[in-house]
Amino acid sequence: MSASPTYSTRKFLEPAIILRWFAFGLISVAIVASWFLGKTQIRKTISVEPDPEDYVEVGALTLEPNPIGAMRIKAEAKIPSNHWVTYELILLDSQGEVVTSAMKEAWSESGTWNEDGESGTWSEQDLDAGLDIKAQNRETLTLAVSVLDYTTSSGQPIERSVPITVKASTGVVYRTPLYWGWIVTAVLTWMSGQMIRTGCGRQAIFKTIRDSDVGARGTLGGSRKLVHLRLEIASDETTPPLLEANLWIRNADGEDVYQHTYPVTPKFIGQAVRQSELNAYFRLLEKGPYGFYVEVTPDASVDRTTITVFDGARTSGRVEVTDIENVAIDILEDQDPPNDDDVLGEHPGLGFS
């Protein structure tokens, strides 16, 4: 048996994964921080009479220049169903001059419907308005609200006041781009991790066969390179709960330098299909031609076995790595691997090439 040391490491992390995780974490922190940056200056409900020539002052706002966030003013009219109101948010300077304003046509409607013998009710509304301001200098402005027009849905004027709830906050961050950035970064990070997990680096060996034994040879290794073995096993519905993948690695002289048996748990992916997967990582300390041979047991249910070996692989996280020296090892009698001639005889074209 091999006494090759196995250890856990992040040494071979893909740098792009680190950058994407950093960007994901940065956006996540920005989203959380944005909830605590805002400071409310005004929150009240006022009643405003319909008069396009007049307005009602809500209160004074102090604007500070800030690289992060802005002043956000939000308002919502409180009107009954089937009514329309046009109101305006106004900011005035110390001389009473209009600095900026925002107009809103708000409405609330409801009714009944009948179609094909069925009936019901419906209700829709659009009542809120908003105004964002970015200050260049410190200044104090006055917030006012004016109701320009108030009617029923049929256009009949209404001569009574309109309740309008107003909230003004400073340091508010527009979070929609942050949410989209968080989603996109999360998806890209996950996709990158999947791509690296299924194979990253130079494909040095690839072999697939409709049987349980597979082997091939390639030139790879070196003390600074990670070797990634990916084994895929397709089997039928008679697959037992646990398979064993017996792996042998041979050097250029045909000597076994590593042997290990890996437990593999099949995954159910269809009524009559099972898919099993094994990922193992090595450092072949001396670069050269190596043969990888895998025998899956029990083999009665195995339909196809595929082995892929990547040289110079990268990882998306911590992995278990085994260091292998180019030195022959002793194999127990009951674990002797079939030699290359046996493989060629039983499965033409399968042997190491």
Side-chain angles (χ1 to χ4, degrees):
M1 293 291 289
S2 169
S4 303
T6 299
Y7 52 94
S8 178
T9 182
R10 290 193 179 96
K11 180 180 178 180
F12 300 98
L13 272 173
E14 169 60 42
I17 282 287
I18 300 175
L19 291 175
R20 289 190 175 98
W21 274 114
F22 177 77
F24 177 76
L26 192 64
I27 295 176
S28 299
V29 170
I31 290 175
V32 173
S34 68
W35 287 96
F36 300 96
L37 291 176
K39 179 181 178 182
T40 301
Q41 290 196 18
I42 294 176
R43 187 200 299 268
K44 63 172 62 175
T45 299
I46 59 173
S47 295
V48 185
E49 296 287 340
D51 186 350
E53 303 297 328
D54 197 10
Y55 53 78
V56 174
E57 292 187 0
V58 182
L61 296 175
T62 301
L63 277 69
E64 299 277 357
N66 196 327
I68 301 176
M71 167 74 73
R72 174 167 296 175
I73 303 169
K74 297 184 68 176
E76 182 179 0
K78 307 292 185 181
I79 58 176
S81 182
N82 297 318
H83 283 62
W84 286 67
V85 61
T86 301
Y87 66 95
E88 187 176 20
L89 301 176
I90 307 170
L91 282 176
L92 307 167
D93 60 18
S94 57
Q95 284 75 42
E97 299 294 327
V98 176
V99 176
T100 187
S101 64
M103 187 181 298
K104 174 69 176 183
E105 288 188 353
W107 52 271
S108 175
E109 294 189 349
S110 63
T112 60
W113 59 269
N114 292 277
E115 185 176 349
D116 298 331
E118 297 183 356
S119 62
T121 61
W122 61 270
S123 178
E124 295 180 351
Q125 62 182 21
D126 181 12
L127 301 172
D128 55 336
L131 180 61
D132 291 340
I133 306 160
K134 188 74 172 177
Q136 301 297 325
N137 301 293
R138 190 180 191 279
E139 56 183 324
T140 299
L141 302 177
T142 300
L143 174 61
V145 179
S146 173
V147 172
L148 309 179
D149 190 32
Y150 187 28
T151 67
T152 63
S153 297
S154 60
Q156 182 178 354
I158 300 175
E159 297 297 331
R160 64 170 178 265
S161 61
V162 180
I164 299 178
T165 300
V166 182
K167 178 183 177 182
S169 304
T170 56
V172 177
V173 176
Y174 184 51
R175 284 186 287 268
T176 299
L178 291 176
Y179 291 142
W180 278 111
W182 188 88
I183 293 171
V184 171
T185 306
V187 171
L188 289 176
T189 302
W190 178 82
M191 290 177 62
S192 298
Q194 287 295 105
M195 292 174 63
I196 293 172
R197 187 184 67 83
T198 56
C200 177
R202 180 181 66 88
Q203 182 176 293
I205 295 174
F206 175 81
K207 191 80 172 183
T208 184
I209 188 170
R210 293 188 176 277
D211 206 335
S212 59
D213 303 343
V214 63
R217 181 175 289 274
T219 300
L220 67 165
S223 61
R224 296 186 178 183
K225 286 189 176 182
L226 181 69
V227 174
H228 175 194
L229 165 68
R230 178 174 172 81
L231 180 69
E232 298 170 275
I233 307 165
S235 52
D236 59 29
E237 69 276 8
T238 64
T239 305
L242 188 67
L243 295 172
E244 289 188 342
N246 303 301
L247 169 67
W248 290 268
I249 301 178
R250 293 174 179 169
N251 62 16
D253 298 325
E255 300 170 330
D256 294 297
V257 296
Y258 180 77
Q259 188 279 327
H260 190 73
T261 299
Y262 295 90
V264 183
T265 302
K267 294 181 179 179
F268 178 87
I269 62 171
Q271 186 173 0
V273 180
R274 305 293 184 273
Q275 189 73 34
S276 310
E277 179 183 307
L278 169 67
N279 290 282
Y281 299 89
F282 310 95
R283 273 200 319 155
L284 300 172
L285 301 182
E286 180 181 320
K287 182 176 181 179
Y290 290 90
F292 284 71
Y293 180 85
V294 176
E295 182 181 53
V296 181
T297 58
D299 60 359
S301 61
V302 177
D303 296 326
R304 186 178 66 256
T305 308
T306 301
I307 184 173
T308 311
V309 181
F310 299 93
D311 189 33
R314 310 300 295 182
T315 67
S316 59
R318 182 179 291 276
V319 295
E320 297 293 319
V321 177
T322 301
D323 284 352
I324 301 174
E325 295 184 1
N326 190 2
V327 178
I329 61 170
D330 294 327
I331 303 294
L332 298 180
E333 292 183 0
D334 61 348
Q335 292 178 322
D336 286 343
N339 59 49
D340 293 353
D341 293 336
D342 292 338
V343 174
L344 286 168
E346 294 177 7
H347 309 294
L350 171 61
F352 298 147
S353 57

